[in-house]
Amino acid sequence: MIIDKARLYLLRMNLQHPFRTSFGETKDRDMLFVCLEAGGIKGWGECVSEAGPWYSGETTNSCIHIISEYLVPWIKNKEILHPKEFKEMCMSIKGNQMAKACVEDAIWDLFGRIEGKTLQSLIGGTKEKIASGISLGIQQNKDILLQKIQTAVEKKYQRVKIKIEHGWDVGIIKEIRDHFPDLPLMVDANSAYRLKDKDIFVNLDRYDLLMIEQPLQYYDIIDHASLQKEISTPICLDESIKSVDDARVAIEIDATRIINVKPARVGGISETLLIHNLAKEVKIPLWCGGMLETGIGRAKNVSVASLSTFTLANDISESARYYSDYVIEPIFELNADGTLTVPTKSAGIGVEVLEDQINRNSIKKMEI
Ligand SMILES: [Mg+2]
């Protein structure tokens, strides 16, 4: 295929509820979409970067710059036989994983639509339904959190993840366990602690948590290995794993026993497939994390989570949890058994993209 047209769209999406983690609160979200066209057929990618450099060093503006000045010009009007070629084509561009993933996603979607194949079938996903877990941000008080957990349990989410930070950790987990002794429960610190805080995690060890996600620095691997020696609850790295090479190092020194894979954090679907192959080889379980995606990114994540190594519940919830405006059809709804069905309504990411809706809600559009 030859990509002959490319467009960027920036949308401001209001979140249904503010989402708070250890590094701040998100009330609305500027979402960047890229649309690539080849002979009139369109493929879509969604960029998960935030307005500021809070989760990673990338921002919405840095992604607009990298996508429009480098990534798209480097691939436009060139023959591409398979989406996996993108990584090679852009190898000289260092870092910028989220910008790369957005463009690569659009190439996979476009390729699938041209070939008449779903993304799931292109990458070898095997499951029809994926397990859905819920991630609950830091709340104003424990009663609000306990009520939200109760609602999640009633909706049959398969596990609950609680964001923690200093002052909202051991005490709140004890409260949750008093009320929900058998709840499949995990915590995510988003790098809020240091190795000197290890006693907090030693204390958390008694609450039968499924895992502790990214307790230490966002770039660290070695301190996580030291912490893992002190506790029996598995550590799961998120922010620290930016490539299959990071994953290999972290597994080798026992810094991570589970990996939260966000395709956008590692530079795209091709790198995700390398981590999937590694996980299969060393028998490490994976699950797919979320970045408050709208429907386009969500559809991609559900397809990725259908790979055989993604055996744990994913941070992929139903569409209505985050947004009331939808950019795809059909939207994702939670099944009665706490799963989401892998979309196969159309080729590519499996859902129709509502281009009119994207056009109407855009605050910025750019031809590249
Ligand atoms: Mg995380």
Side-chain angles (χ1 to χ4, degrees), residues 241-259:
I241 306 295
K242 296 176 183 73
S243 65
V244 68
D245 292 331
D246 289 343
R248 195 178 295 282
V249 171
I251 292 166
E252 185 74 33
I253 65 168
D254 195 25
T256 197
R257 293 181 180 174
I258 298 167
I259 299 175

Side-chain angles (χ1 to χ4, degrees), residues 55 161 163 188 190 213-214 238-239 260 262:
Y55 172 84
K161 168 165 129 180
K163 295 282 187 180
D188 182 6
N190 287 107
E213 185 180 342
Q214 194 73 37
D238 171 356
E239 284 91 334
N260 165 359
K262 292 175 180 166

Side-chain angles (χ1 to χ4, degrees), residues 251 256-259 278-280 282-286 309 311:
I251 292 166
T256 197
R257 293 181 180 174
I258 298 167
I259 299 175
L278 173 66
K280 207 173 350 179
V282 298
K283 300 190 172 54
I284 284 251
L286 307 178
T309 48
T311 52

Side-chain angles (χ1 to χ4, degrees), residues 130-133 155-158 334-340:
I130 61 120
S132 180
K155 291 200 91 165
K156 305 280 188 233
Y157 277 107
Q158 294 196 9
L334 197 65
N335 298 319
D337 59 353
T339 60
L340 296 175

Side-chain angles (χ1 to χ4, degrees), residues 4 37 43 46 66 73 90 93 101 106 116-117 149 158 160 163 165 173 182 192 232 287 290 292 298 312 324 331:
D4 49 31
E37 221 173 301
E46 171 180 333
I66 295 293
C90 296
I93 300 168
K117 291 179 179 161
I149 294 173
Q158 294 196 9
V160 172
K163 295 282 187 180
E165 63 180 4
I173 297 304
D182 303 320
S232 56
W287 56 278
L292 308 179
R298 197 165 297 264
L312 301 175
S324 54
I331 61 167

Side-chain angles (χ1 to χ4, degrees), residues 170-219:
V170 180
I172 199 73
I173 297 304
K174 181 183 179 309
E175 284 281 350
I176 295 169
R177 271 291 173 243
D178 287 347
H179 288 82
F180 302 94
D182 303 320
L183 177 73
L185 179 66
M186 60 175 284
V187 295
D188 182 6
N190 287 107
S191 312
Y193 300 85
R194 298 294 175 264
L195 198 52
K196 65 179 168 51
D197 303 314
K198 78 171 189 320
D199 288 350
I200 290 171
F201 299 99
V202 171
N203 282 330
L204 282 176
D205 229 4
R206 74 185 69 157
Y207 294 107
D208 192 26
L209 300 175
L210 298 169
M211 69 194 89
I212 296 171
E213 185 180 342
Q214 194 73 37
L216 310 178
Q217 300 93 310
Y218 73 95
Y219 50 80

